[in-house]
Amino acid sequence: MRATTLTCLSLLLAASCAAGSNFLSPEEAEESSVYGAFLAARYAGASRDMDRSATLYAEALELQPDFELLSQRSFFAALLAGDFELADQAALTSAEGAEDPQLVRLYLDAVALERGDRHEDSPDDPQLGAFARAVQTVMTDWSRAQTRSGAREVAAETLDVSAQVADYGILHKAMLFEAAGQWDRALDGYTSAALNGDMIELATVLQGALLERRGRRNEAIALYRQRVDEDPYPDPEVLYALQRAEAGRRAPRFDANEYAARALYALTRALTRNSPGDYTALFQRLVERVDPGFARNRYSLAQTLESIDMDGEALAIYESLDGTAFETRAEVDAAWLLFTTGRREEALLRAEQLQSDSMDETARLLLADIYRLTDQCDRALPLYASVSETDRSARQRWQPAFFEGICYQQLGDWDNAEARYIQALEYAPDEPRVLNHLGYNWIVFGEHVEEGLDMVRRAAELAPDNGAILDSVGWGLYKLGRYEEAVGYLERAAVASPGNATINWHLGDAYARQGRALEARFSWEHALELDPQPRERTLIEARLEGGIETGPDDIE
């Protein structure tokens, strides 16, 4: 195929390829079509149009079904896109090749599990990594635990997984005990699993549901209530479980596939911090293949897809979560995704509708944030205030108070803004954003400059790589005439946030105070290239024309 391509490129330079496909033999034409579809599929994948990429790979695979690379690419594209029909076909084709990827084998195990096919322990495969072996173990265990007796047999065995994922395997073992009817051991397992922050919500939901089914509803309610009270923004499923238990409705029961999906989901949490988003999304799709109705996994999948710029697919999943515990949270995220991707009017309409339909605090905060970011602070303030006035913990109150302060400042009311920043700081004394914002404003206004500098220094200790905070420290030192120290912080700030016009303007001023005229001019010119605010632009242009003494010392 490579030879054919090079030949056509050479002929194209001689204008001979203008003859079109009739110039090629049937065999060459088919190779050319395969290669064209392959390139188009790659381009669509790079552009994050995964549906089209999967379709194009499938078309190329139809033309050349024995092309192993195509079958693998087709499988990965289809799985990432969530097209399980294409993924099933491509996985079967890929598995027939000499070197099928490990995910293909795991996916085929997931398909067999979803269909209820029982299989015994898989032989040790040295090509599988530790994580893949753990995934395979989970699926093998649940394929054997379709019945109570099978679950007892598997639960009695020692779980053999690597130390890297052993904590996540605790939840799997607890569910096996539950499926085996060993209630006390299951409850102990859920308690242990909840010690892992990645699994605390899911473990709480499973443990509470088991308590409810065992006639211990009050204990379940206490468990849910404790978790809700501990979380500034309670997990939707835990909150839903609490409301269900308090209303006396039945707790859910799970079959083997649903248990397996939850055990696999726990394993995917190990990927979220240490693996590329594409890799995590592929395994989350595998969980979806086992249990398409598992809302927690679908919600996490949407967040992962959003993080890798698959916005259309993420939006579709958010919108599919209606009627689940994650419905409101997903609607909020969908509206915010629309806002951040430029569909602001649609986002605003959705946020307003959501807020009118629901008194959920996340919905009110979403609408308030959109108002604030679209210069409608007069409409945002009542929403922030309505959240601040509710009976919430201090950890939950700092954000609405902080954003109220920003809105008051945007409206020119510094006294109220300062009061809200101080209030937010009382709620969250170690929150870097609050420390930085209040401290920086005190520095700029020339009020409490030393105290403001102490605040931003504390913020820098808490967030040492934040360019805006490093800039605040540098500017505070500059205001106190400590120019050499200021330059050190401002240079670090410029490295951390090279596209920030304010930081480069500040750095230019600090250079100028040290007599480093060439470096000052370079920083000011660079700041102008970064589209500063109008008042900053006026000041910087004055600096370039007349030097550091020209124009105001600062912009309030």
Side-chain angles (χ1 to χ4, degrees):
M1 184 171 67
R2 181 178 296 173
T4 302
T5 305
L6 291 174
T7 300
C8 192
L9 287 173
S10 300
L11 291 171
L12 181 60
L13 293 175
S16 297
C17 275
S21 59
N22 290 336
F23 177 79
L24 302 172
S25 68
E27 294 80 8
E28 289 173 323
E30 182 170 311
E31 279 199 49
S32 178
S33 298
V34 170
Y35 191 62
F38 176 76
L39 290 178
R42 283 186 57 189
Y43 178 79
S47 302
R48 291 304 189 189
D49 186 352
M50 299 312 302
D51 284 332
R52 178 164 172 74
S53 179
T55 300
L56 288 166
Y57 276 128
E59 289 177 2
L61 193 59
E62 285 183 11
L63 292 170
Q64 195 164 340
D66 58 342
F67 187 14
E68 195 168 322
L69 176 62
L70 269 182
S71 64
Q72 293 175 10
R73 291 286 184 91
S74 178
F75 166 71
F76 286 121
L79 183 55
L80 197 55
D83 188 334
F84 294 124
E85 184 176 349
L86 280 181
D88 289 0
Q89 296 170 2
L92 289 171
T93 304
S94 183
E96 294 170 359
E99 295 184 6
D100 59 312
Q102 59 180 337
L103 185 56
V104 169
R105 279 170 277 170
L106 296 176
Y107 181 79
L108 290 174
D109 283 347
V111 173
L113 178 61
E114 188 273 332
R115 292 173 179 169
D117 297 340
R118 177 189 165 95
H119 61 275
E120 299 302 322
D121 289 333
S122 301
D124 233 8
D125 187 342
Q127 293 183 348
L128 291 179
F131 179 79
R133 283 199 300 274
V135 170
Q136 187 178 66
T137 297
V138 165
M139 290 193 290
T140 299
D141 283 354
W142 285 108
S143 74
R144 296 170 55 206
Q146 301 282 338
T147 62
R148 176 67 60 86
S149 60
R152 286 176 182 154
E153 181 183 330
V154 179
E157 298 171 357
T158 301
L159 180 62
D160 183 19
V161 295
S162 72
Q164 297 168 299
V165 295
D167 286 348
Y168 300 90
I170 294 173
L171 190 72
H172 168 56
K173 196 70 175 179
M175 288 187 288
L176 283 170
F177 286 136
E178 181 176 344
Q182 299 174 27
W183 319 122
D184 290 340
R185 299 187 73 179
L187 290 170
D188 289 343
Y190 290 137
T191 300
S192 297
L195 297 175
N196 182 328
D198 284 342
M199 295 186 295
I200 185 169
E201 287 88 5
L202 179 56
T204 298
V205 168
L206 290 167
Q207 183 176 8
L210 177 54
L211 287 169
E212 289 181 71
R213 292 196 303 272
R214 300 305 300 163
R216 298 160 65 178
R217 186 182 303 277
N218 288 338
E219 290 178 63
I221 288 173
L223 179 71
Y224 298 141
R225 173 59 64 188
Q226 179 183 0
R227 182 63 199 139
V228 166
D229 291 343
E230 289 174 349
D231 195 337
Y233 296 99
D235 177 78
E237 194 173 15
V238 176
L239 192 57
Y240 181 85
L242 173 62
Q243 293 165 348
R244 180 199 65 229
E246 289 180 334
R249 298 195 300 272
R250 287 186 179 182
R253 294 182 179 274
F254 305 105
D255 62 24
N257 284 1
E258 290 167 330
Y259 281 129
R262 283 151 181 78
L264 293 170
Y265 170 83
L267 289 175
T268 67
R269 305 307 295 164
L271 296 177
T272 53
R273 293 187 183 89
N274 304 312
S275 301
D278 298 59
Y279 190 70
T280 301
L282 287 168
F283 276 95
Q284 288 171 327
R285 287 291 195 191
L286 185 148
V287 178
E288 185 183 18
R289 185 66 179 83
V290 174
D291 180 8
F294 184 19
R296 181 180 294 277
N297 178 69
R298 285 161 57 207
Y299 178 69
S300 295
L301 171 61
Q303 292 180 307
T304 304
L305 294 174
E306 184 178 344
S307 75
I308 58 175
D309 300 322
M310 290 180 61
D311 297 331
E313 289 82 356
L315 189 62
I317 295 176
Y318 285 139
E319 292 174 341
S320 75
L321 288 165
D322 287 356
T324 73
F326 291 87
E327 177 178 353
T328 300
R329 186 73 63 85
E331 288 176 335
V332 167
D333 286 352
W336 187 248
L337 176 57
L338 289 170
F339 184 80
T340 57
T341 53
R343 296 162 65 178
R344 292 191 163 199
E345 289 186 10
E346 186 178 352
L348 179 57
L349 287 173
R350 285 201 187 197
E352 289 177 333
Q353 182 63 47
L354 178 59
Q355 193 270 335
S356 67
D357 289 346
S358 168
M359 291 303 292
D360 186 274
E361 289 179 1
T362 58
R364 279 181 278 166
L365 287 173
L366 166 73
L367 183 57
D369 287 343
I370 290 177
Y371 282 149
R372 173 173 55 85
L373 294 169
T374 53
D375 299 321
Q376 300 180 72
C377 268
D378 55 330
R379 304 179 74 179
L381 280 171
L383 291 167
Y384 286 131
S386 73
V387 175
S388 296
E389 291 164 2
T390 55
D391 184 18
R392 295 155 59 87
S393 69
R395 285 181 62 205
Q396 294 168 298
R397 291 178 179 232
W398 78 264
Q399 283 185 314
F402 175 63
F403 290 126
E404 272 190 273
I406 289 177
C407 272
Y408 276 120
Q409 189 167 4
Q410 287 182 10
L411 293 170
D413 185 349
W414 169 246
D415 289 340
N416 266 320
E418 183 181 37
R420 293 303 186 277
Y421 294 146
I422 292 172
Q423 186 180 53
L425 193 61
E426 290 172 354
Y427 293 145
D430 291 325
E431 172 52 49
R433 283 174 287 179
V434 181
L435 287 163
N436 180 61
H437 217 82
L438 179 57
Y440 179 77
N441 276 288
W442 278 352
I443 290 167
V444 168
F445 287 131
E447 304 172 355
H448 320 296
V449 175
E450 290 281 4
E451 190 176 352
L453 180 59
D454 288 342
M455 281 186 178
V456 296
R457 279 188 183 278
R458 173 63 179 148
E461 291 173 1
L462 294 165
D465 299 320
N466 186 301
I469 293 175
L470 293 170
D471 172 68
S472 296
V473 179
W475 199 234
L477 291 166
Y478 174 90
K479 289 281 192 176
L480 294 171
R482 294 156 63 177
Y483 302 127
E484 185 174 350
E485 291 178 80
V487 164
Y489 276 98
L490 292 170
E491 285 179 337
R492 286 170 57 195
V495 169
S497 302
N500 187 297
T502 303
I503 292 174
N504 283 278
W505 151 43
H506 287 169
L507 180 57
D509 279 16
Y511 281 145
R513 291 296 182 189
Q514 283 196 300
R516 298 163 66 174
L518 285 177
E519 290 160 291
R521 174 167 286 274
F522 175 83
S523 292
W524 289 331
E525 288 175 346
H526 185 47
L528 283 182
E529 294 169 358
L530 297 173
D531 194 24
Q533 296 295 319
R535 289 192 299 164
E536 287 185 347
R537 177 176 291 278
T538 299
L539 183 147
I540 296 166
E541 288 173 345
R543 295 277 201 269
L544 286 167
E545 185 174 342
I548 187 63
E549 303 297 341
T550 308
D553 290 336
D554 206 340
I555 294 173
E556 296 184 359

